Amino acid sequence: MAALYAGYTLRGLAPAQNRPNSGIQGVEAERDSDHVVVTDSTRCVTLYKVSDQKPLSCWTVKQGHTLTGAAVYNARTQEYVAVSDRKVIRIWKEDDIILDKAFKATVSSDVWRVHCVAGGDPVVLFHRGAVRLLDSLLSAPQQPIEEVLSPEEAISWSTNIVTESQQFVIFTTEQKGDHFLYLQRLNPNSLQRYHLEREEPGLSPLSFSVSYRDKHIRLLYLYPNGHVYESVVSVRAPVPEEGAQALPLPRSLLLSLPVGEGLLQAASAQELDEAHVAVVGVPHPSAGSGKDFLCIWNTNFQTLQAGKEMAGKIYGQLWSFWNKLFIPHGKTFSVIPYDCPKSSLASALGKQRQSLTNDQVLELIKVRIQFILGSLAKHFIIKMLNKSVFNLLMQTAPVEEVQREVQLLLSRTDTQDLQTSVGQLASTLASRSLNDPAFYTPSSLVQLVHTRYLCHSVCPDLVLLALERKDYFLCQLCLQFFPDIPEVVTCASLIAQEHEAGLNGFSLADEEDRSDNLAEGGATAQRDNEKASAAEQMCPVGLHKAVLLYPASARLLRSNICTMLSNVLFLQYLQFVYLKFSHDACKPTQGLRSPSLTQVMDWMGLLLDAHFTVLVMTPDVKDLLLNLHRFVKSQVRFVSELGKIEGSLQELDKMALKRDVGQYSIEIIELF
């Protein structure tokens, strides 16, 4: 059972009337379990040796300056880092006496916090949500900082954790009563955004706490009504695409704490381990109102295991390091040791073994084995029931609910579990969509294809469903990502689209709204009214046919050239794409499923080599070949002219920029 031991005072709090906070901005771990760094909310940073209850060093900024970010300790360099006046980053060592003589750098945007934990690199979180590694930021302090958050969104809490292979900056924001969780990966660099479920109207979380366990990040948060929730995010969740919507973040109720009369005003909850939570500022269930306690609750059994009354005002602040709780209350900053031993039958056997006979020990071991088998069977039954409920939901729920559940599954499930569940889920959705014309979830199917755990053999109905629903974006993804699509299915798809599309012209303006998702190679270009020819303004094929014309592999390209498509039509389409990609206004975008300019040139050369004799003898192709010849010749001439000044351009690239040029500078460069 958990226990709270006799506490002691680390320091006093400066008395102030009507003070809304404790005057302590932050407490951070230092070199070992007996040292902490305490930052005041004004000007002072103090290093304490906890067991001696005395300060070892103290640093203060000058009058007129204010510390706006709690100091942290970088164990790798044995330096301290803090933020003053929102934009000044200060770095110093323990033997530095005067803080203002130590290193400092002014950045271009307001800093929210600097975070540094053992095993990780110091990171800087800016007020508008951008994140930078400290070393990278100090190499160019005035570098521009992007704005990640919307104008009305503000950070409310942040922290930093290190897993086995990744470092995360985690922060929460508030916008018009809605709360969001951001997970910023540093390797690789990616940002995930989650939307927290709303509590009762007008209630916002009082505190947040994060822990990492079993490949999952666990967020613990306390509301004024006494509800303590936990949300779990897998660190193996797929990296979202840029600009993706915030995913809903499911939660589970861990505790429903007593609040007495009214709501909690200043309280905090901190996870101690997988089964215990420390809470300060919440009334004791058996004590009268008006008294604030520090309590340890067991979340598995929903029981209060330890409690200690805290004298004076509670400020809703709580820190935990090395089995010690740091709590400001009244005029005192206290340290309270605690212990949360794990109670199990195995430990009970260990304590009693010396006083038991061999037969009694064997009987207890038998009971233990039966208990384990019963627990495993219960876990297996619960898992099977959950799986059955999910499958039933996929077969009966409306479209919106199915899409939401698929998003939650992909965000929370580990990679190993996805490999076994994605195929069955895609088959279920495809089968239901084929049988029910009113049901179709294109976004969910696209997400499942993007996991790369699907293939044609696992879900053969998916390509047929995409063709039936005329979802050419999904059809393109299948042709691109499925390596085992039979030639018969590929040819049937191309024939069906050619038969439907015909050889009619196609205006880009007619399909402007859909061009972002389909056939970026030929459909996303804009007209150039002054220079573009008629061939540039009009795509020779329909948009959905252009999707299937984009070869996802050499096998599909050979199918297009040799048997399926008109050589003239395909050459016209390649010319259209080539002319569009040759303009600055329509360059292939990194990350989109569009062919590169080099690919288009290779395909065009392959087609001309394969059918050159036939093409030059075809009257309809004469003008097309002449136009291509003139355009390529003009580009060759342009590139050759650029080659004449190649040396001058290389010298410009090698010129070293001056570090300090003042407000502005004028430089005259003569090329000839």
Side-chain angles (χ1 to χ4, degrees):
M1 179 176 289
L4 290 170
Y5 301 109
Y8 47 89
T9 300
L10 185 63
R11 56 171 286 182
L13 300 179
Q17 295 182 350
N18 301 323
R19 182 177 55 216
N21 53 60
S22 65
I24 294 180
Q25 187 171 173
V27 180
E28 296 290 339
E30 217 246 5
R31 69 197 72 173
D32 54 33
S33 61
D34 200 26
H35 293 81
V36 293
V37 180
V38 180
T39 306
D40 292 344
S41 58
T42 53
R43 301 166 49 210
C44 185
V45 178
T46 307
L47 170 63
Y48 285 94
K49 187 173 182 181
V50 179
S51 59
D52 292 344
Q53 306 174 42
K54 68 176 184 180
L56 300 180
S57 299
C58 184
W59 304 274
T60 306
V61 296
K62 285 185 178 181
Q63 188 74 28
H65 299 282
T66 304
L67 293 172
T68 54
V72 297
Y73 179 71
N74 185 357
R76 293 181 177 178
T77 61
Q78 298 182 354
E79 294 175 330
Y80 303 91
V81 185
V83 180
S84 64
D85 304 320
R86 294 183 178 271
K87 291 186 178 181
V88 180
I89 297 179
R90 299 174 180 265
I91 302 177
W92 71 96
K93 291 184 175 291
E94 184 176 354
D95 54 1
D96 291 332
I97 301 176
I98 302 177
L99 188 58
D100 287 281
K101 292 185 178 180
F103 173 84
K104 57 184 176 181
T106 303
V107 296
S108 60
S109 184
D110 289 351
V111 176
W112 167 262
R113 279 291 306 271
V114 176
H115 290 287
C116 185
V117 294
D121 297 319
V123 293
V124 180
L125 173 62
F126 290 87
H127 266 273
R128 304 310 305 157
V131 175
R132 293 286 190 277
L133 288 171
L134 180 61
D135 292 342
S136 174
L137 180 62
L138 294 180
S139 64
Q142 289 299 310
Q143 61 183 271
I145 304 299
E146 70 277 9
E147 291 195 5
V148 177
L149 308 181
S150 58
E152 298 179 350
E153 196 173 2
I155 299 177
S156 55
W157 170 87
S158 65
T159 189
N160 178 32
I161 66 171
V162 175
T163 65
E164 291 85 354
S165 59
Q166 292 177 329
Q167 185 173 357
F168 289 86
V169 176
I170 305 171
F171 58 96
T172 59
T173 63
E174 189 273 336
Q175 181 183 14
K176 295 182 179 180
D178 289 322
H179 295 269
F180 300 91
L181 173 69
Y182 287 81
L183 263 66
Q184 174 71 59
R185 281 183 173 90
L186 299 182
N187 184 26
N189 192 4
S190 64
L191 181 65
Q192 291 175 275
R193 185 171 184 251
Y194 297 91
H195 184 208
L196 274 64
E197 294 184 27
R198 281 200 174 194
E199 191 65 359
E200 299 176 12
L203 293 185
S204 298
L206 294 175
S207 70
F208 292 93
S209 172
V210 159
S211 62
Y212 172 73
R213 189 169 62 252
D214 300 332
K215 308 295 183 182
H216 288 80
I217 295 174
R218 303 172 186 273
L219 178 69
L220 188 82
Y221 42 108
L222 168 67
Y223 279 94
N225 57 6
H227 290 174
V228 179
Y229 293 98
E230 183 185 52
S231 296
V232 181
V233 179
S234 173
V235 298
R236 296 179 177 177
V239 177
E241 296 182 358
E242 186 176 355
Q245 295 291 330
L247 297 176
L249 185 63
R251 66 184 185 182
S252 58
L253 182 63
L254 286 185
L255 293 171
S256 183
L257 303 173
V259 298
E261 300 177 359
L263 299 173
L264 300 177
Q265 299 297 326
S268 181
Q270 182 80 29
E271 181 176 349
L272 304 180
D273 58 26
E274 62 271 15
H276 297 89
V277 174
V279 183
V280 67
V282 177
H284 195 284
S286 60
S289 60
K291 295 182 179 180
D292 292 316
F293 280 76
L294 169 65
C295 301
I296 296 181
W297 290 78
N298 187 300
T299 57
N300 292 337
F301 302 102
Q302 303 287 303
T303 56
L304 176 63
Q305 294 196 340
K308 185 178 184 67
E309 184 177 357
M310 307 304 296
K313 182 179 180 179
I314 296 295
Y315 302 100
Q317 293 177 302
L318 178 64
W319 295 273
S320 175
F321 303 105
W322 307 294
N323 280 32
K324 300 182 184 69
L325 295 172
F326 297 80
I327 307 168
H329 59 99
K331 299 180 180 181
T332 304
F333 185 39
S334 298
V335 180
I336 300 178
Y338 69 90
D339 187 22
C340 296
K342 295 181 180 180
S343 58
S344 63
L345 184 58
S347 62
L349 282 173
K351 293 179 180 179
Q352 299 177 3
R353 187 165 185 171
Q354 294 180 352
S355 59
L356 297 178
T357 64
N358 291 335
D359 293 338
Q360 291 174 326
V361 171
L362 292 176
E363 183 65 25
L364 285 175
I365 294 176
K366 180 180 178 181
V367 172
R368 176 61 175 168
I369 293 175
Q370 292 176 349
F371 175 78
I372 294 175
L373 293 177
S375 300
L376 291 176
K378 180 180 178 181
H379 176 74
F380 178 76
I381 292 174
I382 292 176
K383 185 175 182 179
M384 293 300 295
L385 286 175
N386 291 338
K387 187 175 181 180
S388 301
V389 171
F390 182 80
N391 292 335
L392 181 63
L393 185 67
M394 294 297 103
Q395 297 173 5
T396 58
V399 173
E400 294 78 8
E401 187 173 354
V402 169
Q403 292 177 340
R404 183 170 62 253
E405 291 297 328
V406 171
Q407 283 185 341
L408 294 178
L409 175 69
L410 296 179
S411 64
R412 297 187 59 182
T413 309
D414 290 340
T415 304
Q416 185 175 1
D417 296 333
L418 279 177
Q419 295 178 357
T420 59
S421 59
V422 165
Q424 181 179 359
L425 178 57
S427 299
T428 302
L429 295 179
S431 176
R432 182 180 175 186
S433 300
L434 290 172
N435 297 327
D436 184 4
F439 178 84
Y440 189 53
T441 56
S443 62
S444 298
L445 294 174
V446 168
Q447 288 178 326
L448 294 176
V449 173
H450 272 299
T451 62
R452 304 295 182 92
Y453 297 133
L454 277 181
C455 61
H456 181 75
S457 303
V458 173
C459 187
D461 294 334
L462 190 57
V463 177
L464 300 179
L465 173 64
L467 293 175
E468 180 179 316
R469 296 301 178 98
K470 299 180 180 180
D471 189 344
Y472 306 110
F473 178 56
L474 178 60
C475 191
Q476 181 196 17
L477 291 180
C478 294
L479 291 174
Q480 184 175 357
F481 292 153
F482 292 179
D484 59 340
I485 295 182
E487 292 285 350
V488 177
V489 177
T490 302
C491 296
S493 302
L494 296 173
I495 290 175
Q497 298 311 306
E498 183 178 11
H499 176 73
E500 181 178 347
L503 300 179
N504 297 326
F506 177 75
S507 174
L508 290 173
D510 295 335
E511 296 286 345
E512 185 177 359
D513 292 337
R514 298 178 58 196
S515 63
D516 289 341
N517 291 335
L518 302 177
E520 291 87 348
T524 57
Q526 299 179 355
R527 290 176 175 152
D528 189 342
N529 295 325
E530 297 179 359
K531 298 180 181 179
S533 63
E536 291 178 83
Q537 297 180 12
M538 192 72 67
C539 183
V541 296
L543 181 61
H544 49 285
K545 187 174 181 180
V547 172
L548 295 176
L549 274 171
Y550 164 44
S553 64
R555 175 176 54 83
L556 290 180
L557 181 59
R558 290 193 299 270
S559 300
N560 292 339
I561 292 178
C562 299
T563 58
M564 299 311 305
L565 300 176
S566 167
N567 296 327
V568 177
L569 178 63
F570 191 40
L571 186 59
Q572 289 174 344
Y573 176 70
L574 290 177
Q575 182 205 25
F576 172 80
V577 179
Y578 176 63
L579 294 178
K580 289 301 178 183
F581 280 180
S582 299
H583 291 81
D584 292 338
C586 187
K587 290 184 177 179
T589 305
Q590 182 70 22
L592 297 179
R593 285 163 298 278
S594 58
S596 65
L597 186 59
T598 304
Q599 283 180 305
V600 175
M601 291 292 293
D602 291 341
W603 296 340
M604 194 178 299
L606 183 60
L607 178 61
L608 291 174
D609 291 341
H611 299 282
F612 182 77
T613 305
V614 177
L615 291 174
V616 296
M617 298 297 293
T618 305
D620 296 338
V621 188
K622 182 178 180 181
D623 294 336
L624 176 62
L625 294 177
L626 289 176
N627 290 336
L628 281 173
H629 174 70
R630 283 193 294 265
F631 188 77
V632 173
K633 186 177 180 180
S634 66
Q635 285 197 322
V636 171
R637 186 183 301 112
F638 175 70
V639 172
S640 64
E641 293 296 327
L642 288 179
K644 296 179 181 180
I645 62 172
E646 180 181 3
S648 300
L649 296 177
Q650 290 178 350
E651 290 301 322
L652 288 177
D653 188 53
K654 295 178 181 179
M655 291 177 61
L657 298 178
K658 297 180 180 179
R659 297 181 61 87
D660 186 8
V661 295
Q663 296 296 323
Y664 66 92
S665 65
I666 300 176
E667 296 184 16
I668 300 176
I669 302 173
E670 296 182 1
L671 298 180
F672 304 102

